[in-house]
Amino acid sequence: MALLSIEGVSKSFGSHQALKDVSLNVEAGEFVSLLGPSGCGKTTLLRLIAGFLTADRGTIRIDGEDITNVPAHRRPLNTVFQNYALFPHMSVQDNVAYGPRRSGAGRVEAAERASEALSLVGLGQMGDRYPRQLSGGQQQRVALARAIVNRPKLLLLDEPLSALDLQLRRRMQVELKQLQEKLGVAFVFVTHDQEEAMAMSDRISVLSEGRIQQVGNGAEIYRRPANRFVAEFIGEANLLSIDSAHGFEIVFAPADQSTNRLGVVRPEHVRILREGDTAALSENDVRITAEVAAVASIGGTTDIHCTSLGYEIVARRLGLSDGGFKPGDKVTLVIAGDDIHIIESERS
Amino acid sequence: MILRNLICIVALFGMTFLVLPLAVLVGASLTTSEFLAFPPQGLTLKWYAVIFSNPTYVASFLTSTWLAASATLIAILLAVPAALAVSRYDFPGKGAFSAFLLSPLVLPHLVLGAALLQFGGSIGLTRNFWALLVGHVVIVTPFVLRTVLPLLSREQQAMEEASRDLGADGVTTFFLVTLPQIRSGLVAGAIFAFITSFINVELSIFNTTAELNTIPVQLFNYVQYSVDPSIAAVSSATIVAAAVAIILIDLTVGLDFLTTNDD
């Protein structure tokens, strides 16, 4: 039985339907990200689980118990808020002890548990300070300590790292993941950052326009996106209309001709050869003749933008070397047949 | 540097302009002459003795204090839930509701007083303490509302959610999280409310009687017929009382929030 089970949940605000028939299961100890652009419904879903909103339709269960209409303060879960929502009039210690106090612990016991939680997040010495005296990263840790002090089985995190700078953010990603594994608590982690979701999650649930588009681990979602939205939202993708496909014999249609199937090709799967260079081809390879349009080095990789059949196709090479390709060069783009993921294209 | 000095001079001038009348008032209350005189001719506290031995003044002073305190308390009890409702919930007529709550701020008190007297007359609520109280609650509630509303921000709402998330019910959350956060606004609003009520003439005048009078109305009536240093003494006593109250508030809850901003 899943720890958290969401079935057919819908939620509207006025005429805006924020969530449409969403279903999702989260197992005990699992790290699940809700990933999507702003306005996709991920925060609404989190607030429904936390109990700050009530679903129009559908059920939410925790450990099999229907909590759809249970008020927030009686739900067996805790939340880390986006801007931490620490109580500014209480010391760090009192902030963290707030949860145990409310669940009936005495003053002494609550203080002990708060100290324990604070040392777990590396803030053992900060108990007497006030939230405004702490840095953003430290406040983040206090928020985390406050949320785990009652040892919930399920922790909800609403873009908890979005206010931190990049370096701190990377470090916190690692720490958060370690803490999650150490405590064995299930995380439902809202983020709009696909790299963050990829780096941390066991499974990712991609949302768009109030619907779950795809659920799977990072590799599945990257390699086999369920639809055009996922393909474009996760990583970068060349999207090419497919004219015909028999096994690996795939023929692409020109860009202005829309067909009912799309080939998704990641830039790093596009090899680029000089015209006439057929040395390293295998029979499963699909070849496209193209012309180099632009070359751009971005740190560890170099992107070569080519045009063919009216598409702009990006080939990505590791390293700073552009391989001697210049705009205007005639080239052959080579894609291994099994690197082409085929999806049904929704016609508009 | 020149600009700084200029600002200092202007500020000093402004302060002097504001404080000088008070100094004149206090000075005049100490005069030995039978008429208002400044600088005082000799020093005496006899005018204070005159007013404090006059039971009418003492009674009015007590009435005003009671009235202002009760009106402020009721205003707090009305304004806090109203502010919570306006800031937290969407409901039909919300705009009209908040405009209505703030309307006494812009309505002339005389008009309000006349209207209340008419209405009060039709339901038998006139010329007693309760009639006064109703009017004063109406005019002071907007002050508390105005000072509390800005503190009920989105961050504040997130804190309340955090409290509920940690297992606190609505009532506990209100007392442990909401109230401490709006305290500064409550104190500021309460000060404005108390003062507004304490110095009100226009509204009170409709419902006061010879036996039930507030101190400003008493003064207003008195100066129509005679001007002697006793009114300066009453005014000075009020100023001293106000100063003591402000100092007490500063010592207990602090007035820093009036001049500084946490964010």
Side-chain angles (χ1 to χ4, degrees):
Chain A
M1 186 174 59
L3 173 68
L4 169 69
S5 140
I6 299 165
E7 277 171 38
V9 163
S10 297
K11 177 72 185 173
S12 295
F13 300 106
S15 60
H16 171 66
Q17 216 182 342
L19 287 177
K20 300 162 191 165
D21 192 25
V22 166
S23 297
L24 180 71
N25 282 345
V26 176
E27 303 296 328
E30 196 181 19
F31 193 129
V32 175
S33 288
L34 304 180
L35 174 64
S38 55
C40 71
K42 57 192 191 296
T43 297
T44 301
L45 183 54
L46 197 79
R47 292 172 62 78
L48 281 169
I49 304 171
F52 303 136
L53 295 173
T54 316
D56 298 337
R57 270 196 306 281
T59 38
I60 301 174
R61 290 192 180 82
I62 289 184
D63 271 335
E65 190 190 337
D66 187 343
I67 59 153
T68 316
N69 295 308
V70 172
H73 66 274
R74 290 206 218 104
R75 295 194 181 195
L77 51 84
N78 285 112
T79 306
V80 176
F81 291 83
Q82 182 165 18
N83 294 314
Y84 318 139
L86 299 176
F87 307 130
H89 57 290
M90 294 183 200
S91 68
V92 165
Q93 171 82 24
D94 289 345
N95 261 281
V96 182
Y98 193 89
R101 290 287 285 153
R102 301 288 86 72
S103 59
R107 203 171 278 280
V108 178
E109 192 200 337
E112 274 168 17
R113 282 168 59 189
S115 305
E116 192 189 340
L118 279 170
S119 45
L120 211 54
V121 297
L123 284 181
Q125 310 303 316
M126 299 286 188
D128 294 336
R129 306 240 186 134
Y130 280 82
R132 65 175 171 279
Q133 297 170 307
L134 303 181
S135 69
Q138 288 168 332
Q139 290 184 20
Q140 164 68 67
R141 286 161 198 264
V142 176
L144 197 58
R146 189 176 69 175
I148 59 169
V149 68
N150 273 353
R151 293 299 162 97
K153 284 187 205 163
L154 177 62
L155 198 65
L156 310 177
L157 302 97
D158 187 6
E159 308 219 18
L161 307 179
S162 61
L164 305 178
D165 63 54
L166 189 63
Q167 274 193 326
L168 189 56
R169 192 173 177 150
R170 290 267 154 80
R171 213 171 72 209
M172 284 304 292
Q173 285 175 7
V174 176
E175 281 190 31
L176 212 53
K177 180 75 185 155
Q178 285 171 343
L179 189 72
Q180 185 254 337
E181 281 166 2
K182 185 170 166 187
L183 296 175
V185 53
F187 273 27
V188 174
F189 187 95
V190 164
T191 180
H192 63 265
D193 180 340
Q194 44 131 336
E195 282 180 30
E196 192 166 277
M198 290 274 206
M200 300 172 77
S201 320
D202 298 320
R203 281 191 305 149
I204 300 171
S205 166
V206 184
L207 279 97
S208 169
E209 294 178 347
R211 288 184 199 282
I212 293 186
Q213 304 292 327
Q214 188 173 6
V215 182
N217 66 36
E220 277 165 17
I221 284 177
Y222 187 75
R223 291 218 189 95
R224 290 188 293 280
N227 56 38
R228 185 182 190 128
F229 172 82
V230 178
E232 287 183 313
F233 188 71
I234 309 290
E236 286 155 67
N238 297 300
L239 295 176
L240 310 168
S241 296
I242 290 175
D243 193 29
S244 68
H246 305 286
F248 291 136
E249 275 179 41
I250 294 168
V251 179
F252 293 115
D256 52 12
Q257 185 185 327
S258 72
T259 62
N260 55 2
R261 280 178 299 173
L262 271 180
V264 179
V265 182
R266 299 297 178 183
E268 65 272 23
H269 292 147
V270 180
R271 279 193 294 151
I272 181 164
L273 302 174
R274 293 198 178 280
E275 199 175 30
D277 179 358
T278 53
L281 291 185
S282 85
E283 58 186 274
N284 289 342
D285 287 341
V286 177
R287 267 162 290 173
I288 307 164
T289 52
E291 187 180 316
V292 176
V295 178
S297 276
I298 39 166
T301 58
T302 301
D303 284 355
I304 300 168
H305 299 255
C306 307
T307 48
S308 177
L309 299 168
Y311 299 102
E312 189 185 86
I313 303 173
V314 179
R316 182 163 294 167
R317 294 167 58 96
L318 267 180
L320 282 168
S321 159
D322 58 12
F325 293 103
K326 297 272 178 301
D329 286 0
K330 303 280 185 224
V331 293
T332 304
L333 301 177
V334 181
I335 307 160
D338 51 7
D339 285 336
I340 301 171
H341 173 69
I342 298 172
I343 57 179
E344 302 295 317
S345 63
E346 314 96 80
R347 287 166 183 253
S348 49
Chain B
M1 214 40 212
I2 292 170
L3 186 69
R4 213 184 128 88
N5 286 333
L6 202 67
I7 291 173
C8 278
I9 291 165
V10 172
L12 271 175
F13 185 77
M15 297 264 284
T16 315
F17 186 78
L18 290 174
V19 172
L20 218 52
L22 302 185
V24 170
L25 202 60
V26 175
S29 74
L30 298 172
T31 187
T32 52
S33 57
E34 292 296 315
F35 47 87
L36 282 173
F38 189 84
Q41 304 175 350
L43 288 177
T44 175
L45 289 173
K46 78 169 177 187
W47 298 110
Y48 288 89
V50 167
I51 58 158
F52 282 116
S53 60
N54 181 342
T56 324
Y57 274 120
V58 175
S60 307
F61 198 83
L62 288 178
T63 305
S64 280
T65 309
W66 260 118
L67 185 60
S70 320
T72 304
L73 187 70
I74 296 172
I76 289 174
L77 295 180
L78 290 176
V80 172
L84 283 169
V86 169
S87 70
R88 295 282 189 272
Y89 303 103
D90 269 323
F91 48 88
K94 175 169 156 172
F97 179 66
S98 31
F100 169 73
L101 288 175
L102 296 173
S103 60
L105 279 182
V106 292
L107 230 72
H109 290 171
L110 266 176
V111 175
L112 211 59
L116 273 168
L117 184 66
Q118 286 231 316
F119 179 68
S122 69
I123 59 166
L125 186 70
T126 51
R127 300 192 178 273
N128 58 31
F129 183 79
W130 305 109
L132 280 173
L133 185 58
V134 169
H136 280 232
V137 167
V138 170
I139 60 163
V140 304
T141 303
F143 287 99
V144 185
L145 197 66
R146 264 293 86 171
T147 50
V148 169
L149 256 182
L151 297 173
L152 294 168
S153 55
R154 280 196 82 82
E155 291 78 39
Q156 166 66 27
Q157 197 171 352
M159 282 176 222
E160 284 170 20
E161 284 177 355
S163 167
R164 283 160 63 203
D165 187 71
L166 293 164
D169 58 25
V171 177
T172 313
T173 297
F174 178 79
F175 283 105
L176 291 183
V177 175
T178 313
L179 200 55
Q181 288 302 303
I182 62 172
R183 194 197 59 171
S184 61
L186 270 185
V187 174
I191 292 174
F192 285 127
F194 189 92
I195 293 171
T196 304
S197 164
F198 200 84
I199 63 173
N200 182 278
V201 173
E202 308 98 302
L203 187 67
S204 306
I205 207 161
F206 290 94
N207 274 314
T208 45
T209 63
E211 290 76 37
L212 178 76
N213 220 340
T214 65
I215 202 79
V217 174
Q218 178 86 18
L219 282 180
F220 182 73
N221 290 339
Y222 189 76
V223 295
Q224 291 184 57
Y225 303 106
S226 49
V227 174
D228 68 37
S230 69
I231 60 153
V234 176
S235 307
S236 307
T238 313
I239 293 167
V240 172
V244 169
I246 295 284
I247 290 167
L248 279 180
I249 290 169
D250 191 31
L251 289 178
T252 48
V253 286
L255 288 177
D256 297 348
F257 59 84
L258 288 178
T259 50
T260 57
N261 200 333
D262 276 349
D263 299 321

